[in-house]
Amino acid sequence: MKVLAALGAVLAILTGSAHAQSQPLTIYAAASLTDVFRAFDPDQRYSFAGSNALETQIRNGAPADIFASAAPLNTQRLFRQNLVGKPVTFTSNRLALIVPKSNPAGIRSVYDLRRKPVKLVIAGAAVPVGGYTRTVLRRMGLSSVLSKVVSQETDVRAVTGKVALGQADAGFVYATDARAVADRVTVIRIPAWAQPRVRYEIAVVSSSSKKAAAQAWIKTLLSARGQAALKEYGFLPVPGA
Amino acid sequence: MDRRRFVLAALGAGSATVATPWLGSAAAAAEDDLAFANFGASTELLVRDFYAKAIDAKLVGAQTTSALRHGRSAAGWHAKAQSDLLTSAGDVPPDPEDFDFQWPLRTFKTKAAMVATGLAVLRALRGVYQTAAAMASEQSYRVLYASLAASVSQQIVALGGAAAAEPFPVALDIESASDAIERYLG
């Protein structure tokens, strides 16, 4: 009887462990990672939003295992407060200006935003893509076009959606998001000299109960397979890596 | 002074004039000033890469190679001067890692191709410096850009010979110059 009880206990531990292993990770990720993460590993549980909003949720105790941010600022702030482990950079991106295929404002260059009356949509300043947008405009001497902003969105997908639906004349998004709606928008290149340094960071959330699994997932993302998936969706390698 | 000494002296002047009187007013830099500095610093990094590859290609004699080395040095100084301006103004200056410089396949295969590509980049850069020398908001910036334009003009002559000299070089806005160099910046 004692042997049976012991066997039962061992079995319970083993099945419990296996159950924990098979439970999906909860991954909080920047909205721009939506398509690539879902394709890379559809078995996990995702929450996609602006990195600033996700940072706030994690600070408030949201049950995330992994945080993938579109800007180092968000992960580093949490790291300094020991709310996530040491972040690693895993990919990079570029900004692009998109206009609807019909291009009602006749925009051919970023400089046309200054010359022509346009309805511009961008992300809020606290959202990574919103911060990057302001950097681009400042670098190009075009901050005055911020007066033409008709809407400030909470994440890049909302900006992309509004332009793709023709609700705005132009919007600043990541090049990867522009690719995703290539049939509905025209992409206008931003000069390389004006591009901001868009770096994505990822980290294990300190309160996670699945740290080992989370670390393994990040390792897979950093592997050749993970990097190939990112490349397929238009993301760029980490410079100097 | 023979032509070689003249050219080397002129290229050196590009770096010798890089003191930093403009940094005192960097906080007050207007948006267009920052655009000039961002474009200039980035393009100087491109120019420095061009000179490094041109030297490695060994397509020219010792005299021109020496001029290429001075040009590379000047480009480094020019980039630093403008990067310092940007840093002082609270901006992040460009870094070589930000770019994936793309030179057409044949650029460093023949001297003619190398010279033609180098001149295209340098002329675009000088065009913007001329505009900045006239339009920058601060006197110290205008002096800086006039100096940089003069240095780049000398580099154009050193690279392309007397035939490359233009009595009245054209000033360019950043948009036009950007179109001219974008394919090389990657």
Side-chain angles (χ1 to χ4, degrees):
Chain A
M1 194 64 186
K2 277 184 181 173
V3 173
L4 278 177
L7 277 174
V10 169
L11 198 60
I13 290 167
L14 286 175
T15 51
S17 168
H19 182 64
Q21 287 296 319
S22 65
Q23 277 187 333
L25 294 164
T26 301
I27 299 173
Y28 279 29
S32 50
L33 295 165
T34 303
D35 294 341
V36 65
F37 272 17
R38 282 198 173 129
F40 173 63
D41 187 353
D43 296 331
Q44 309 305 333
R45 194 162 42 219
Y46 295 103
S47 179
F48 296 105
S51 299
N52 58 318
L54 296 172
E55 178 198 343
T56 301
Q57 289 176 33
I58 290 170
R59 180 169 286 113
N60 291 339
D65 298 305
I66 290 174
F67 177 38
S69 167
L73 177 70
N74 304 102
T75 35
Q76 293 296 335
R77 269 198 301 239
L78 292 176
F79 176 58
R80 283 196 294 273
Q81 295 172 297
N82 295 319
L83 294 172
V84 299
K86 188 170 175 53
V88 291
T89 309
F90 67 98
T91 196
S92 65
N93 211 335
R94 286 193 157 202
L95 240 64
L97 180 69
I98 55 170
V99 297
K101 277 280 185 209
S102 58
N103 197 2
I107 297 164
R108 305 264 180 273
S109 131
V110 182
Y111 290 94
D112 281 340
L113 296 177
R114 181 164 59 188
R115 291 189 281 255
K116 300 184 175 186
V118 295
K119 287 185 288 179
L120 181 65
V121 58
I122 63 174
V127 186
V129 71
Y132 293 136
T133 298
R134 286 157 178 83
T135 299
V136 165
L137 292 173
R138 183 171 157 85
R139 285 189 174 178
M140 298 183 75
L142 293 173
S143 291
S144 60
V145 307
L146 289 172
S147 65
K148 300 180 180 180
V149 170
V150 294
S151 175
Q152 297 197 45
E153 304 300 324
T154 54
D155 65 52
V156 68
R157 304 291 275 203
V159 177
T160 310
K162 284 213 164 168
V163 177
L165 291 170
Q167 293 171 351
D169 296 325
F172 284 94
V173 299
Y174 296 115
T176 48
D177 290 279
R179 273 172 59 126
V181 289
D183 56 331
R184 287 179 286 162
V185 304
T186 300
V187 178
I188 292 167
R189 192 179 158 97
I190 292 168
W193 62 267
Q195 284 283 349
R197 235 167 260 164
V198 181
R199 302 283 187 270
Y200 288 72
E201 284 194 349
I202 192 163
V204 176
V205 177
S206 300
S207 61
S208 168
S209 60
K210 302 170 203 156
K211 284 199 182 67
Q215 202 61 59
W217 196 89
I218 291 174
K219 197 174 170 187
T220 312
L221 185 67
L222 294 170
S223 72
R225 186 170 80 83
Q227 293 299 298
L230 288 160
K231 186 179 176 188
E232 190 183 335
Y233 279 79
F235 288 87
L236 301 169
V238 179
Chain B
M1 186 183 282
D2 63 21
R3 179 175 177 271
R4 178 174 179 272
R5 289 185 62 187
F6 167 75
V7 168
L8 295 184
L11 289 174
S15 55
T17 53
V18 180
T20 57
W22 54 88
L23 294 185
S25 49
E31 195 170 61
D32 281 347
D33 300 334
L34 299 179
F36 288 133
N38 268 303
F39 176 85
S42 301
T43 310
E44 293 285 4
L45 294 176
L46 176 72
V47 169
R48 194 175 62 176
D49 186 71
F50 167 80
Y51 280 128
K53 289 188 168 62
I55 292 164
D56 288 347
K58 295 187 171 67
L59 295 169
V60 293
Q63 182 177 324
T64 310
T65 298
S66 179
L68 294 176
R69 286 203 183 95
H70 279 79
R72 182 181 59 184
S73 173
W77 278 104
H78 297 175
K80 183 178 184 317
Q82 294 173 92
S83 293
D84 288 349
L85 191 161
L86 290 166
T87 303
S88 299
D91 271 21
V92 178
D95 183 273
E97 269 201 354
D98 296 336
F99 304 102
D100 179 19
F101 299 128
Q102 309 272 341
W103 300 106
L105 206 56
R106 295 196 54 75
T107 301
F108 301 106
K109 299 285 186 201
T110 67
K111 181 182 173 186
M114 179 190 83
V115 169
T117 305
L119 290 179
V121 174
L122 289 170
R123 283 177 173 144
L125 180 59
R126 180 184 59 188
V128 169
Y129 285 160
Q130 287 178 247
T131 301
M135 300 191 54
S137 68
E138 298 281 331
Q139 171 73 11
S140 59
Y141 298 164
R142 292 195 289 273
V143 171
L144 166 69
Y145 284 112
S147 161
L148 296 180
S151 173
V152 175
S153 285
Q154 293 300 335
Q155 292 177 49
I156 287 169
V157 173
L159 185 65
E166 298 154 286
F168 303 107
V170 179
L172 293 173
D173 59 27
I174 293 179
E175 184 176 3
S176 306
S178 183
D179 289 344
I181 65 153
E182 183 63 13
R183 60 190 291 223
Y184 307 119
L185 277 176

